[in-house]
Amino acid sequence: MNKNKSYIAALSYSLIVGLSFLITKQVVPIAPPSLILAHRFFIALLGYAVFIKVSGQKIQLTKHKLLFTLPLTLYYPLLFFSLQVYGLKYATSSEAGIIFAMVPVLVVMIGLLMKQSISKIQAFCVIMSVSGVLVIFARNTLSFDGSFLGIALLFLSALSSAMYTITLKRVVTELSIYELTFIIIFTGFTVFNTTYFLEHHDSNKLIINYMMPFKSLSYTLGILYLSLFSSLGSTFASNHAIRHLSPPQFSVFSNLSTLISIIAGALILSEPLSLAHYIGSTFILAGVMGTNFSKTIEKGLTLAFKKT
């Protein structure tokens, strides 16, 4: 039952992230990255405070818990969101999609360096899922038009995501999901808002400038999504999913985000689908299913070879 809930959480994470790149790209021209991050985590913290109040959940933090989660908060939200937003300022959302498709491979590589075990079936399925993403983007003969700085920042953001996925597996054994989510959101709120106010401490219209972007309806709607869903919702979903899934099993769900963005484009924007989309989507789905049901596949192959 817990594993089924983890799969639902991982699917929710994929759905949220599948739309976040496009929405982030739309709000970047309206406000500077430091202000976008400040707004995201200010609203996310308000939303989480309301949730905790209504749900009656208890947050009991100790010095040990805070110190234990310190490395995790460095990877996510601090490095992950900072590098992502600044990277999208110089690169396209499509380029971000390709780079973040490499997260499962980075998780496997880092896991192997840390002597974590992964089966051959899982490794094969991770590569299959990533290949599906590359097939889809190859259809557009995509070249990396973004600046080297943007590409480098997005890669470092993807690396931070991989480190977060691996580190989170150890941290979730010490804290409840509600406590961990609060620490991550509160850390983002404190650091990003402090950074923005320090950058603009000489301004006579500090509060006015802080609220100015909300005059744009598209910015307001975009920030509400990025705050309540992308920052808060994806954090809560990933924290829940990784509790019962291995890092490779969870990370491969990130490639579903590409598939979700394509489906959304076809349904909402009436964007055409080509043969490459169908082939790539099949690879992605097969990779996700194979990675998460690798033990069943291995047992089936073992029985098949025994019969022969």
Side-chain angles (χ1 to χ4, degrees):
M1 187 67 178
N2 285 331
K3 203 155 191 177
N4 290 336
K5 290 181 179 179
S6 294
Y7 285 131
I8 294 172
L11 287 170
S12 300
Y13 172 85
S14 300
L15 177 62
I16 293 168
V17 174
L19 299 174
S20 64
F21 288 138
L22 178 61
I23 294 175
T24 300
K25 191 66 181 176
Q26 290 177 332
V27 301
V28 163
I30 301 174
S34 60
L35 184 54
I36 293 172
L37 290 168
H39 285 158
R40 282 181 71 160
F41 282 88
F42 176 70
I43 297 174
L45 184 61
L46 288 178
Y48 197 57
V50 172
F51 169 78
I52 292 297
K53 182 68 174 178
V54 173
S55 64
Q57 296 293 332
K58 302 294 183 182
I59 304 294
Q60 297 177 331
L61 299 178
T62 63
K63 182 179 179 181
H64 168 73
K65 289 180 178 180
L66 293 172
L67 291 176
F68 193 69
T69 56
L70 187 60
L72 182 71
T73 57
L74 175 63
Y75 299 131
Y76 185 99
L78 301 184
L79 288 176
F80 174 76
F81 283 110
S82 298
L83 293 166
Q84 182 194 92
V85 171
Y86 280 96
L88 283 169
K89 186 176 181 180
Y90 303 104
T92 67
S93 57
S94 295
E95 289 166 344
I98 290 179
I99 293 169
F100 277 88
M102 303 307 295
V103 169
V105 175
L106 292 173
V107 167
V108 171
M109 293 174 64
I110 296 170
L112 292 175
L113 290 174
M114 297 175 67
K115 302 187 184 303
Q116 294 181 356
S117 61
I118 180 173
S119 69
K120 292 180 180 179
I121 294 292
Q122 282 186 323
F124 174 77
C125 290
V126 166
I127 294 172
M128 180 186 296
S129 179
V130 173
S131 299
V133 176
L134 298 180
V135 166
I136 290 171
F137 283 110
R139 177 253 182 188
N140 298 320
T141 60
L142 181 72
S143 60
F144 283 88
D145 297 324
S147 71
F148 173 78
L149 176 60
I151 301 301
L153 291 175
L154 288 172
F155 176 78
L156 291 175
S157 180
L159 183 60
S160 298
S161 178
M163 289 299 299
Y164 162 74
T165 301
I166 292 174
T167 307
L168 180 62
K169 188 65 177 178
R170 179 173 60 92
V171 174
V172 291
T173 61
E174 296 287 331
L175 290 84
S176 72
I177 295 172
Y178 302 100
E179 291 170 341
L180 181 56
T181 302
F182 175 78
I183 291 174
I184 290 174
I185 297 300
F186 185 77
T187 300
F189 162 77
T190 303
V191 173
F192 293 135
N193 277 274
T194 300
T195 300
Y196 175 76
F197 285 122
L198 287 176
E199 288 178 354
H200 300 81
H201 66 281
D202 292 330
S203 175
N204 293 323
K205 298 181 179 180
L206 186 61
I207 302 300
I208 294 176
N209 291 336
Y210 188 83
M211 301 302 296
M212 185 69 71
F214 289 106
K215 293 177 66 176
S216 167
L217 179 60
S218 61
Y219 181 85
T220 301
L221 294 176
I223 283 295
L224 285 175
Y225 178 87
L226 293 173
S227 301
L228 300 178
F229 290 93
S230 187
S231 294
L232 178 55
S234 66
T235 298
F236 192 85
S238 62
N239 290 346
H240 184 86
I242 203 68
R243 183 178 287 271
H244 300 287
L245 301 178
S246 69
Q249 285 178 314
F250 171 72
S251 65
V252 80
F253 273 93
S254 63
N255 286 343
L256 274 181
S257 301
T258 300
L259 181 56
I260 289 168
S261 65
I262 291 170
I263 294 173
L267 294 178
I268 300 173
L269 302 178
S270 300
E271 294 178 347
L273 296 178
S274 68
L275 179 61
H277 286 111
Y278 292 108
I279 294 174
S281 299
T282 302
F283 273 51
I284 292 172
L285 289 173
V288 172
M289 296 294 290
T291 304
N292 284 277
F293 297 99
S294 57
K295 290 183 179 180
T296 302
I297 295 173
E298 288 169 2
K299 287 180 181 178
L301 291 174
T302 300
L303 291 173
F305 280 119
K306 283 183 178 180
K307 289 180 180 179
T308 57

